[in-house]
Amino acid sequence: MSAQTTTRGNDADLAENANGAQRLHTTELANEIEFLTARARSLGSGRANNMLAELDLKVRSYSVLSLACSGENPSQRELADFLSLDPSQIVALVDQLERRGAVTRETDPRDRRSKVIVATTAGRNLYKRAESIIRRAEDQSLSTLSPQERETLRDLLKRIAF
Amino acid sequence: MSAQTTTRGNDADLAENANGAQRLHTTELANEIEFLTARARSLGSGRANNMLAELDLKVRSYSVLSLACSGENPSQRELADFLSLDPSQIVALVDQLERRGAVTRETDPRDRRSKVIVATTAGRNLYKRAESIIRRAEDQSLSTLSPQERETLRDLLKRIAF
DNA sequence: TATTGTTATACTCTATAACTATA
DNA sequence: TATAGTTATAGAGTATAACAATA
């Protein structure tokens, strides 16, 4: 998905550490890439959501805001395609961001059905703060990896994600 | 995936390919490891769920079945911890698998509060078939990676997932 | 008093279909 | 006839609290 989902996140994992489900780490399941990807995502987006809460954002709304700030002037349809979300979910996300003055909908003059999402100045400021939080969250989630390993991971993921 | 979620999966991505949201691939967001992980997970579990449908399983129930077949005799509490799911969700998943005769709940004699989940013969047969489907799904999801790269990815993910 | 499993409930996320306005 | 955005709704997934049995 891309666009991700809220998850139980950190609390559950503290529980696991406190507890003793480490026996299960040697299991077949624990070595499946799909499982590991899902677990990494769950931990990562859980942490990111917790940290973004201070800006009243979630990973979802952050993603939309980020693309609105990208300079690519995405339409809602493009956001839906790229984030693997239904167009109706984009409506709700853009509504929220628009209500707080972070983005505006501008009708594309070349196709008046289409609405381009662009960030306001306030939206770009919000994004700057959110981006730095996301960077800290990512840094924490990847704390066991060296910079080189992080680049390797990024490249491998990029090849399977697109 | 661990604990995962159903996702829109393949259809959305065909739409993306058909469409032209490729502009957004150069975006900052598209290079964030968290985003790529989420997207990879979404594609992967979407595909796996589609393929597991013929066995009337999902990634969730497959994960529980897999751990029930692991020989580690996990309790429901351990399943919840390991899969980052709430204990009440485990109840529902085990109920389903128990109803179809794939697993049984056995009271742990050393702690009669705890119930150990063990696979039946039918459950192990079901798991064999599911496992081969999961392997095919994973193979398709990782088709752009060499065997070596897959191992690298597995190791990196393992270090951030646990 | 604390923990395992269970039930119930509310909330979020996801999927689908129908509508409108534009093309 | 088809597409972008919107609305409404139902379903799946998630989080929380309370309870019984057991420790």
Side-chain angles (χ1 to χ4, degrees), chain A:
Chain A
M1 312 245 108
S2 96
Q4 33 296 86
T5 316
T6 314
T7 26
R8 293 187 61 238
N10 306 355
D11 301 335
D13 300 290
L14 294 176
E16 186 197 334
N17 292 337
N19 231 297
Q22 277 93 342
R23 287 190 299 129
L24 303 178
H25 285 29
T26 55
T27 282
E28 274 192 57
L29 182 68
N31 285 283
E32 286 179 15
I33 289 179
E34 301 278 21
F35 172 78
L36 294 168
T37 304
R39 204 178 142 100
R41 197 260 349 168
S42 172
L43 294 176
S45 67
R47 188 196 303 273
N49 277 329
N50 285 343
M51 292 174 67
L52 282 174
E54 71 179 63
L55 297 182
D56 202 25
L57 285 173
K58 294 190 171 188
V59 176
R60 277 287 166 70
S61 39
Y62 163 78
S63 299
V64 170
L65 179 60
S66 173
L67 293 170
C69 291
S70 70
E72 294 289 346
N73 291 325
S75 70
Q76 293 191 189
R77 177 63 53 168
E78 288 173 317
L79 292 174
D81 289 341
F82 191 66
L83 298 174
S84 303
L85 295 176
D86 195 83
S88 60
Q89 296 176 261
I90 300 293
V91 171
L93 290 166
V94 172
D95 280 352
Q96 284 171 31
L97 291 171
E98 194 177 41
R99 243 182 270 123
R100 66 191 282 185
V103 304
T104 58
R105 283 181 235 242
E106 304 197 349
T107 301
D108 184 343
R110 290 164 311 180
D111 182 347
R112 306 194 51 253
R113 292 172 304 180
S114 179
K115 294 182 185 168
V116 167
I117 307 306
V118 295
T120 62
T121 303
R124 282 190 298 274
N125 287 335
L126 178 62
Y127 174 60
K128 267 180 216 156
R129 296 207 285 157
E131 200 195 6
S132 109
I133 287 176
I134 284 288
R135 254 201 290 267
R136 265 193 296 134
E138 184 163 303
D139 191 58
Q140 288 177 25
S141 293
L142 304 179
S143 62
T144 56
L145 303 188
S146 72
Q148 269 193 353
E149 286 169 331
R150 296 179 194 195
E151 285 316 303
T152 302
L153 179 60
R154 191 192 315 278
D155 291 345
L156 292 173
L157 287 173
K158 226 172 161 179
R159 285 166 55 196
I160 65 180
F162 292 121

Side-chain angles (χ1 to χ4, degrees), chain B residues 74-95:
Chain B
S75 70
Q76 292 190 190
R77 178 64 51 168
E78 288 174 317
L79 292 174
D81 289 340
F82 192 65
L83 298 175
S84 302
L85 295 176
D86 194 84
S88 60
Q89 297 176 262
I90 300 294
V91 172
L93 289 166
V94 172
D95 280 351

Side-chain angles (χ1 to χ4, degrees), chain B residues 106-144:
Chain B
E106 305 198 349
T107 301
D108 184 342
R110 289 166 311 181
D111 181 347
R112 306 192 55 251
R113 291 172 304 178
S114 178
K115 293 182 187 169
V116 166
I117 307 306
V118 294
T120 62
T121 303
R124 283 190 298 273
N125 287 334
L126 178 61
Y127 174 59
K128 268 181 215 154
R129 296 207 284 157
E131 198 195 7
S132 111
I133 287 176
I134 284 288
R135 253 201 291 268
R136 265 193 295 134
E138 183 163 305
D139 191 58
Q140 287 177 25
S141 292
L142 304 179
S143 62
T144 56

